[in-house]
Amino acid sequence: MTAPVRTRDRHEAAVGLPRLLWVPAGLAFALIALPVVGLGLRTDWPRLPELLLSEAALDALRLSLLTASCSTVICIVLGGPLAVVLARGRLPGLQVLRSIVLLPLVLPPVVGGLALLYLVGRTGLVGQGLELAFGITVPFTTAAVVLAQTFVALPFLVVSLEGALRTSGQRYEAVAATLGASPALAFRRVTVPLVLPGLLSGAVLAFARCLGEFGATIAFAGSLQGTTRTLPLLVYLARESDVDAAVALSLLLVVVAVVVIAIARPRTVAS
Amino acid sequence: MRRPAFTLDVSISAAPGEVLAVLGPNGAGKSTLLGVLSGLLRPDEGLVRVGEHVVTDTAAGVHVPPHRRGVGLLAQQALLFPHLTARDNIAFGPRAAGVGRREARARAEELLTGVDAAALGDRRPAQMSGGQQQRVALARALAPEPALLLLDEPLAALDVDATPAMRALLRRVVRDGKQTAVLVTHSALDALVLADRVVVLTGGRVVEDGGTRDVLARPRSAFTARIAGLDLVPGVCDVGGLRTPDGLLVSGLTDGVDVGDTAVAVFPPSAVAVYATRPDGSPRNVLPVRLAAIEPRGDVVRLRAAAPPGGPAWVDGLAADVTPAAVADLGVEPGAELWFVVKATEVAIHGQ
Amino acid sequence: MTRRLLAVGAAVLVLAGCGGAAPAETDPSPARTLTVFAAASLTDVFTELETRFEADNPGVDVVLNYGASSDLAQQLVNGGPADVFAAASASTMATVTDAGLVEGTPVVFARNRLQIVTAPGNPEGIAGFADLARPDLQVVVCAPQVPCGAAVERIETATGITLTPVSEEPDVRSTLGRVTTGNADAGLVYVTDVGSVGDAVEGVDFPEAEQAVTDYPIGVLATAPQPELARAFADLVSGADGQAVLAGAGFVGAP
């Protein structure tokens, strides 16, 4: 902590890597990078502006950014406190709770979508109540998209923030207490700033996951231009009729993903 | 206070404006004691009073949380909040107490000057050395004007170069500043410089309690003797010296102890001469030892003794400080059998 | 060095194992395999015809690959190995014929039309296409990009009635699912799909459906490894036996 930030010196002798590692490492990289290159090769570049500026594409992009932003905010507001409870709480069965929180990471998203449908759908446990009490139906609305995205993205935020909380420990909070700070004040002025990098990288991950969300959305929210048809859903649909459009939209998603990763990466390293 | 396989059972007090040093070997319960005082730990049974305020009273079910005790803490690690500048770190306590931003900053500035760190106000912890961080941490701990300041080995993690200055600063700010404080340390020097009084904890109990100089000059336990840098032999006072459990007489000057009383013989390692063969003549104490370790200590070399085969067990741990040239002349290695020789006039015998 | 080579070899074997598992399993028993790519809406019919064909041609194993016609067409264009392709629309078949992959001209062997699907008992009292425009109804249709959605668009154009669906689903099965799960009041799907789920839903015929009848063409692929068998299978589908099974599932006979 006290050492000045040291930039890598060219004269520093690198610690040797086993040469054999390069082979699977190269294969792994190729596996990720080459399909994207393939997408680029398949793209109909002259038609690209027209394909990306179509009303359907713009609607989907707008909807994707809007819903992903909403979902990320909800993830922070609800997932942040959950991460704190998981990292610091003293409850019996916390381990079980943690496993349940991780479920959406493991489940196929479409299963999540079905689960949401059977809970908040018109015939679902909560859905029936909502319709009777308030006349609200959740599926087929933008809110349903946000709900589906939040469901799949929540663990990303919780896991990353919980990790940051564990790493920082509670020593600083103890110091804050001896300085007269109440638990609430110590949380606000010490804990939150300390884990901010972890929170930000978690939020970016969650946002990225929301942008890419397909399965839960199609299963739960449906697909209607301007209301529930996000970019991934449009890509899936466009594939049926206009492969060029599907490829162009995929490329757009790749660009958005790269931007998101570029924003997130330095913070992840810093934390 | 009970922990698995460990019980801390002490009664200590520090007068207002007094610095009390708590000495003790690892595991003696020093950190647990500070935890109880700061409120970060709850004792099973006990009463803690800070000034007029009872902050822990298990009988009455009182446990004031740490942030409402007025007990400050400076630990080994500075633990400055990494996201705040030095000034904002110091202002944290006053701000938590509801002092306005401007006033808290002014107080921080004043304290920064007080710890010789006026130029560091705008720096973040990562831009400061360990010594600088510890100075700022001291200022931060003092900022809320705690009724009691806990110093948990505040010099232990510092570079050798930074230690004397920080020790001097603590003396000026804490002891001369009449800040009531409890100092946990391993170092006799820290206790001598910083503390008015010393208690020695061993195995969760107070074994010694008194003025710093008295306790360190006349150690009654092996631990205190070791940290005071003195050799100590326990036994019973006899005519002309101290009778060890195995019947040997260590000659020395008795000091207010009666024959038959439990006593200890104390002498500095520098008063011990070392021979490879048994020397003749008296009045000297000649102790057979086996050499356990050779430790360089600045200009001298400390030879640490172990019990020789068939010899007295109580010589174990005794130290002799000799010059490097003398070690070279002796030509010894650990395991060698030697003789430690101490003049009777160098040995003080006092009650335990 | 030897151990390194072994490690790399093992990795290659693992990769090869992953890729090669499927053909290796189907390979050993029958002498000949006939691969048929068929639209998902043909699932029930073709599974029945598979049994007959295998009974008529001992030693032949028919492997059926069902999916969205457009997906299957894309797979074929990108080199997917098949003997026969049965599509749910003329346009998806055109993708494959345009690529020069079909031997001769595809034959229309069945036709399908849309039906309104509602909850059992038709609680909303939907009597015809015009009712679907009622604002109090949650209606689902297929997206215009897929054949069943294109059919809806044609009916809308013909009738001048524009629907405001709550969702445009990517395939006919999802559309049907919205109604079977009770999340939508009504949907527009193929009559054959309504028949396939039994009593879980109720089908309502409407005359305008005739405006958008879908053709099901079948073709033998030019690259078919088993051209003889492929022709025999296509004949079975278009022949009397095939037509009987298709009619039983609700398909309209070939023109």
Side-chain angles (χ1 to χ4, degrees), chain B residues 17-88:
Chain B
E18 186 180 56
V19 179
L20 174 70
V22 178
L23 296 173
N26 286 329
K30 304 186 299 288
S31 302
T32 308
L33 176 65
L34 290 192
V36 170
L37 294 178
S38 64
L40 296 169
L41 293 175
R42 283 169 188 261
D44 298 301
E45 281 170 52
L47 177 80
V48 179
R49 219 174 51 213
V50 177
E52 298 299 305
H53 304 284
V54 172
V55 291
T56 297
D57 183 352
T58 49
V62 175
H63 181 84
V64 176
H67 64 277
R68 281 196 238 118
R69 291 193 164 215
V71 175
L73 173 69
L74 178 66
Q76 262 187 47
Q77 309 291 334
L79 291 178
L80 293 179
F81 303 130
H83 57 289
L84 298 179
T85 61
R87 185 180 300 105
D88 289 343

Side-chain angles (χ1 to χ4, degrees), chain A residues 31-49:
Chain A
L31 195 60
I32 294 170
L34 287 184
V36 179
V37 173
L39 209 56
L41 291 177
R42 178 63 183 73
T43 303
D44 186 349
W45 295 99
R47 266 187 78 205
L48 196 65

